[in-house]
Amino acid sequence: MRETALMIELKNITKEYVSKKNRIIGVDNVSLTINRGEIFGIVGYSGAGKSTLLRCMNILERPTSGIVKVDGVDLLQLSSKELRKARQSIGMIFQGFHLVASKTVYENVAFALKAAGVENSIIKESVEELLTIVGLEDRINQYPAQLSGGQKQRVSIARALANNPKVLLCDEATSALDPNTTQSILALLKRINKELGLTIVIITHEMEVVKEICHRCAVMQDGRIVEQGPTYQIFSNPIDPLTKRFIDTVLSFKLPRKLVEGIKGKLVRLQFRGEIAAEAVVSDMLQTFLVKGNILHGKVEYIQDLPLGIFIMELNGDEQEVEKAIDYLRGRVSVVEVVENE
Ligand SMILES: Nc1ncnc2c1ncn2[C@@H]1O[C@H](COP(=O)(O)OP(=O)(O)OP(=O)(O)O)[C@@H](O)[C@H]1O
Ligand SMILES: [Mg+2]
């Protein structure tokens, strides 16, 4: 079969849970495509349907309706034996690691290979290789209880990679970890995405995670996708109010109250995309109009290695001149918002 750019195709996926008393819709008519070699993020609050959607990708949950294709194969048409085989090419990791406490690191990883029928003679070499990839070759004989959270997640990544999958599904894989350990696990996922060409789907409620490693992302609410796009676009120009709330967790900042109280002029928030030189635009504006500018806050975030500059300025002067200056900025800056003094 010809390789296509698509690795995962979900068409009109709905998952209902019906009990005697009620009917809950976990996922509501979601269509989504994920490209080969892509890191795709799905964000949303608790109960949005993220895990359910992810579990539909390897049929741990059987959708009530819709089509699930992974690497061109329609998973819902497979027999249970064929499905078990197909699942070997879809690794999965979880927030709680799901390691077997009574087995060593070696045995936890070897187990996945044994289950897939790999010959014993190959298993030892494979496990060692996998543990080297995740940087745990010196912990091979330890038990999960002897490892930190980050190390446990590394073991579960090694186990998920054991059968050389095409896809790695991650359900809140870093949510139980501290920020530094989160960074190191994200760096590992980024490296295996690059080096092994692995397609990765990440579910998270942390926008930092998306910012750090996802090429594209989708925002979920009430079982539906409310917005999706390239991560830089989502961060620089969010449309849906929920997306804005998520972006705010990373990009917004509150000015100190004292400072806000002392402001007499207009507060403007400027957002610069890509390579535009913020300082040059601001200094041109100050030279062209009879206004005084005072930068109260400025920072540049890097999203997918592209800069996104955010500045908050106070503009003082004659009202008309201030308006003209703001119009001038609007022509040169990707987003200009006049912030209301609280
Ligand atoms: N087995 C089940 N039986 C009944 N309802 C379920 C089942 N699994 C999930 N749901 C419901 O489906 C909805 C989506 O749940 P899901 O676990 O996918 O959310 P989530 O976005 O992963 O949340 P969290 O961030 O808390 O993990 C919720 O209303 C949940 O109660
Ligand atoms: Mg979940």
Side-chain angles (χ1 to χ4, degrees):
M1 195 171 53
R2 202 169 62 89
E3 261 204 2
T4 70
L6 290 186
M7 181 53 92
I8 300 173
E9 288 177 80
L10 302 178
K11 277 194 203 141
N12 306 109
I13 296 296
T14 292
K15 175 70 190 181
E16 286 179 6
Y17 297 100
V18 184
S19 68
K20 275 186 197 140
K21 289 207 183 104
N22 56 11
R23 184 170 148 262
I24 294 169
I25 302 199
V27 174
D28 188 2
N29 195 24
V30 166
S31 296
L32 183 68
T33 56
I34 296 173
N35 298 321
R36 192 178 292 278
E38 179 166 58
I39 305 183
F40 193 94
I42 300 173
V43 291
Y45 290 123
S46 186
K50 307 178 297 294
S51 296
T52 308
L53 185 66
L54 194 76
R55 291 160 65 83
C56 284
M57 293 181 192
N58 59 359
I59 322 295
L60 277 179
E61 294 280 3
R62 194 162 269 273
T64 313
S65 59
I67 296 174
V68 181
K69 284 189 185 173
V70 174
D71 205 13
V73 177
D74 186 341
L75 297 187
L76 292 168
Q77 300 301 320
L78 301 181
S79 66
S80 42
K81 192 176 163 201
E82 288 168 332
L83 184 58
R84 271 202 300 280
K85 183 90 189 134
R87 278 209 191 106
Q88 285 173 12
S89 61
I90 311 172
M92 194 163 185
I93 61 174
F94 307 86
Q95 175 173 4
F97 321 124
H98 294 198
L99 298 176
V100 181
S102 60
K103 289 186 192 293
T104 63
V105 166
Y106 177 90
E107 289 162 344
N108 265 284
V109 179
F111 182 76
L113 292 160
K114 276 190 196 142
V118 174
E119 268 181 57
N120 275 334
S121 57
I122 302 175
I123 287 183
K124 185 165 181 288
E125 200 183 320
S126 299
V127 174
E128 284 169 359
E129 203 178 303
L130 288 159
L131 290 174
T132 306
I133 292 177
V134 301
L136 277 187
E137 57 278 27
D138 55 340
R139 301 294 179 129
I140 199 157
N141 293 316
Q142 294 197 315
Y143 287 87
Q146 297 169 295
L147 303 176
S148 70
Q151 288 164 341
K152 285 181 203 163
Q153 196 55 290
R154 284 171 190 271
V155 177
S156 83
I157 290 172
R159 182 183 56 186
L161 295 180
N163 291 304
N164 201 13
K166 300 168 187 164
V167 176
L168 179 64
L169 306 178
C170 312
D171 193 346
E172 301 279 5
T174 57
S175 300
L177 307 173
D178 66 50
N180 276 338
T181 314
T182 294
Q183 286 300 325
S184 78
I185 293 293
L186 294 180
L188 172 62
L189 292 175
K190 216 176 194 172
R191 180 157 62 79
I192 56 184
N193 164 257
K194 269 220 174 91
E195 289 176 7
L196 310 177
L198 194 68
T199 306
I200 300 182
V201 187
I202 290 186
I203 275 180
T204 181
H205 59 269
E206 295 170 304
M207 224 44 206
E208 279 291 338
V209 169
V210 175
K211 184 189 126 202
E212 206 61 46
I213 67 167
C214 296
H215 303 124
R216 286 194 303 141
C217 62
V219 180
M220 272 190 97
Q221 183 176 33
D222 297 333
R224 285 187 289 269
I225 288 179
V226 295
E227 187 164 359
Q228 62 169 309
T231 301
Y232 190 82
Q233 183 194 312
I234 294 286
F235 272 79
S236 59
N237 191 22
I239 308 288
D240 190 272
L242 178 65
T243 314
K244 288 185 179 163
R245 262 164 74 190
F246 272 108
I247 301 302
D248 271 356
T249 62
V250 176
L251 297 187
S252 102
F253 34 80
K254 278 241 173 297
L255 293 171
R257 231 181 118 93
K258 262 229 154 86
L259 190 78
V260 175
E261 280 168 5
I263 285 171
K264 294 184 195 69
K266 275 225 155 102
L267 266 189
V268 288
R269 181 179 180 277
L270 314 178
Q271 188 175 296
F272 294 82
R273 275 204 222 184
E275 303 301 330
I276 303 167
E279 289 84 358
V281 173
V282 170
S283 77
D284 279 357
M285 182 266 293
L286 292 174
Q287 279 172 19
T288 313
F289 301 94
L290 279 172
V291 294
K292 281 212 162 93
N294 185 15
I295 293 191
L296 303 173
H297 186 102
K299 71 169 173 181
V300 179
E301 284 281 352
Y302 284 82
I303 295 148
Q304 293 292 297
D305 295 331
L306 287 173
L308 183 68
I310 294 161
F311 295 83
I312 292 196
M313 281 187 83
E314 176 188 3
L315 292 180
N316 278 303
D318 174 73
E319 203 174 312
Q320 277 188 344
E321 276 298 290
V322 170
E323 284 309 319
K324 277 196 229 161
I326 291 173
D327 278 347
Y328 173 90
L329 289 171
R330 287 212 164 98
R332 281 158 189 78
V333 178
S334 70
V335 178
V336 180
E337 275 171 6
V338 177
V339 186
E340 294 303 324
N341 292 10
E342 281 173 7

